[in-house]
Amino acid sequence: MSMDFEDRCEVHYIHEDNVKEVKTAMLEQETILSLAELFKTMGDLTRLKLIFALMKKELCVCDLAAVIGVSDSAVSHQLRVLRNQKLVKFRRQGKVMYYSLADEHVRMLFAQGLEHVCE
Amino acid sequence: MSMDFEDRCEVHYIHEDNVKEVKTAMLEQETILSLAELFKTMGDLTRLKLIFALMKKELCVCDLAAVIGVSDSAVSHQLRVLRNQKLVKFRRQGKVMYYSLADEHVRMLFAQGLEHVCE
DNA sequence: TTAACATATGAACAGATGATCATATGTTAA
DNA sequence: TTAACATATGATCATCTGTTCATATGTTAA
């Protein structure tokens, strides 16, 4: 997918020093990949609605489904994605699973994004 | 894609008052859609690298391509996406296009995301 | 036990996405 | 003008993604 710069036979750029400077400052591949995964996770309408709902209140799966208007199954699938990214946490009470936001970072990210969008 | 809650014939949820409360607090569809678009735009490795590079310095297309190691064409395509989302701005100088970050929101978003990832 | 319920999961399919390649546009210097 | 260059764009295609449907898991009450 991402072709390695070193392997290119014919590289042309204008400002060699700028390229070197920024290239050495570049974050580690793994770090920036994790960051991309985080944003990708938040870049879906359903998941973003789930996050917003959980910003208001701890909710169970079927309530979440009712709030955002999709099937329980779809919610469950998407909650798993959010869980994998550690954006939400959950507790079980009987047969009901209650989900809530994992931490304040998510809330901050959401707010920061909203600022950009609402200007 | 997103089925309308109102149209469902059989809705079951446990905490009716919670559902109503959160449902009325829900952001407008358009707003949350824009927000999703924003995060989706930042949820790609190539675009995120472009953003990071531009956080360091104003750069032209072929320098950006050299920094992140993809073709000029791919960079140009992705810069357009970033432009559409108003994440970057540009100026022309002769035949060279210099790109830079559109505003500080982007920088803040990036930093905020990094905090979540690096814990 | 069994039935009913809440949630999770796997397969499958339609739609979205990103890189590539060919080509087009626009700018400068000769 | 023309050639060379920097960038942009459109079409194509392989891959990724999200929903749906069917089914499985796990919990509670009878």
Side-chain angles (χ1 to χ4, degrees):
Chain A
M1 173 173 273
S2 71
M3 152 174 75
D4 195 343
F5 166 53
E6 315 296 351
D7 294 343
R8 301 175 67 190
C9 46
E10 194 191 344
V11 178
H12 73 290
Y13 39 74
I14 303 181
H15 313 89
E16 188 171 354
D17 42 349
N18 280 358
V19 170
K20 279 190 180 152
E21 178 188 338
V22 177
K23 205 162 182 298
T24 58
M26 184 61 66
L27 292 176
E28 296 209 6
Q29 176 80 1
E30 195 192 341
T31 305
I32 201 157
L33 199 57
S34 302
L35 194 51
E37 287 305 313
L38 170 62
F39 286 125
K40 189 179 297 179
T41 300
M42 297 186 69
D44 172 79
L45 191 55
T46 300
R47 289 192 293 265
L48 213 47
K49 283 179 176 176
L50 288 175
I51 289 173
F52 180 79
L54 295 176
M55 281 171 69
K56 297 295 168 190
K57 204 178 268 285
E58 181 190 59
L59 290 164
C60 71
V61 176
C62 67
D63 285 349
L64 280 167
V67 167
I68 71 175
V70 302
S71 70
D72 292 353
S73 178
V75 167
S76 186
H77 274 294
Q78 296 306 168
L79 282 172
R80 180 157 66 139
V81 177
L82 293 173
R83 251 160 40 209
N84 289 343
Q85 287 293 316
K86 302 198 197 316
L87 296 184
V88 302
K89 58 183 194 291
F90 59 96
R91 66 186 176 88
R92 174 186 285 280
Q93 185 175 315
K95 32 187 174 182
V96 182
M97 300 286 283
Y98 290 93
Y99 282 83
S100 54
L101 286 194
D103 58 44
E104 290 305 305
H105 288 145
V106 194
R107 204 180 291 272
M108 300 286 276
L109 265 174
F110 196 100
Q112 196 74 50
L114 209 53
E115 253 188 61
H116 179 84
V117 164
C118 293
E119 70 183 0
Chain B
M1 174 173 275
S2 70
M3 156 172 70
D4 195 345
F5 166 52
E6 316 295 352
D7 294 343
R8 301 176 67 190
C9 45
E10 193 193 343
V11 178
H12 73 291
Y13 38 73
I14 303 182
H15 312 91
E16 189 172 354
D17 41 348
N18 280 357
V19 170
K20 278 189 180 152
E21 178 188 339
V22 177
K23 205 163 181 299
T24 57
M26 184 61 65
L27 292 176
E28 296 209 6
Q29 175 80 3
E30 196 193 340
T31 305
I32 201 155
L33 199 57
S34 303
L35 194 51
E37 287 305 315
L38 169 62
F39 286 124
K40 189 179 298 179
T41 300
M42 296 186 69
D44 172 80
L45 191 55
T46 299
R47 289 192 292 267
L48 213 47
K49 284 179 176 177
L50 288 175
I51 289 172
F52 180 80
L54 295 177
M55 281 171 70
K56 297 295 168 190
K57 204 178 267 286
E58 181 190 60
L59 290 165
C60 71
V61 175
C62 67
D63 285 349
L64 280 168
V67 166
I68 71 176
V70 301
S71 70
D72 292 353
S73 178
V75 167
S76 185
H77 273 295
Q78 296 307 163
L79 283 172
R80 180 157 67 140
V81 177
L82 293 173
R83 250 159 40 208
N84 289 343
Q85 286 294 317
K86 302 199 197 315
L87 297 183
V88 302
K89 58 184 195 291
F90 59 96
R91 67 186 176 87
R92 175 186 284 280
Q93 186 175 316
K95 31 187 173 180
V96 181
M97 301 286 283
Y98 290 93
Y99 282 83
S100 55
L101 287 193
D103 57 44
E104 290 305 306
H105 288 145
V106 194
R107 204 180 292 271
M108 300 286 276
L109 265 173
F110 196 100
Q112 195 75 48
L114 210 52
E115 253 188 60
H116 180 85
V117 164
C118 293
E119 69 183 1

